[in-house]
Amino acid sequence: YLGIRRLLKLFDKRPIVAAFTATATNFIVQDVIETIGLKIQAQDIPNANYNKDNLTLSMKCIWRTRKKEVIVSGKSYGVREITPAQQRRNYVKRDVEKYLKQGKKGVIFCNSISAINDLQNYLSKYVKDLEPEKILTFYGDMTREDKIANLELFTQEKGYVMLCTNAFGMGVNVPDIEY
């Protein structure tokens, strides 16, 4: 939205402009109004409640530094370093295994397609009782047909994991996501 005001100056007559969001803070709302030059006061903006009883958003901090792990095998032991990427994968693996045992379906957001592919390969290789075809993906560059197929599988069955970018959250309504 930061460049819209410059764009609007290109028009002889200003077009009608509207802005929509589901989760903007009061600070962001005021910033959008001022930046775009909207002809409305913040208090006049309709604001519906977006809190949902069945929706919980949680974030887990996963280490950003290398850590050491002691490996004991018989009478010998060793120390190995675990990278932050390995720590993240191990953490996700534990959660996926826990929820799969309960027959739950879940969504894991990743920040890139390569992160999705990396996690998909890791989970299919190391998570017990998770068939690779139950690890679904959803991101912007997928074909429409693949997105529809994966979304249909995910909405109709239990025990699936959806690895996705934020493209998944736009307009997707799946009521029984449990993690």
Side-chain angles (χ1 to χ4, degrees), residues 3 6 10 21 31 39 49 57 59 67 73 86 90 106 111 121 126 131 136 144 146 156 170 175:
R6 284 192 312 263
L10 298 175
T21 181
D31 189 46
K39 312 266 191 267
N49 184 350
L57 176 64
M59 184 170 68
K67 75 178 193 180
S73 175
Q86 290 167 321
N90 290 342
N111 63 356
N121 290 334
Y126 293 107
E131 299 137 26
L136 304 171
R144 178 175 164 75
D146 286 345
Q156 295 169 4
M170 302 196 188

Side-chain angles (χ1 to χ4, degrees), residues 1-9 17 35-36:
Y1 68 91
L2 297 174
I4 292 176
R5 188 170 223 163
R6 284 192 312 263
L7 175 69
L8 293 173
K9 288 181 180 180
V17 176
T35 302
I36 297 177

Side-chain angles (χ1 to χ4, degrees), residues 112-134:
S112 68
I113 296 169
S114 63
I116 288 173
N117 293 332
D118 177 51
L119 190 54
Q120 183 180 29
N121 290 334
Y122 178 81
L123 292 175
S124 63
K125 188 173 181 181
Y126 293 107
V127 174
K128 298 173 195 144
D129 303 322
L130 179 61
E131 299 137 26
E133 62 272 5
K134 289 198 165 206

Side-chain angles (χ1 to χ4, degrees), residues 69-80:
E69 176 179 77
V70 176
I71 302 165
V72 178
S73 175
K75 293 183 179 182
S76 62
Y77 69 93
V79 176
R80 72 173 179 172

Side-chain angles (χ1 to χ4, degrees), residues 6 9 11-12 15 18-19 87-88 91 103 117 122 132 136 139 149 154 164 172:
R6 284 192 312 263
K9 288 181 180 180
F11 294 92
D12 293 332
Q87 293 174 54
R88 285 190 295 272
Y91 194 88
N117 293 332
Y122 178 81
L136 304 171
Y139 49 87
F154 188 69
C164 57
V172 174

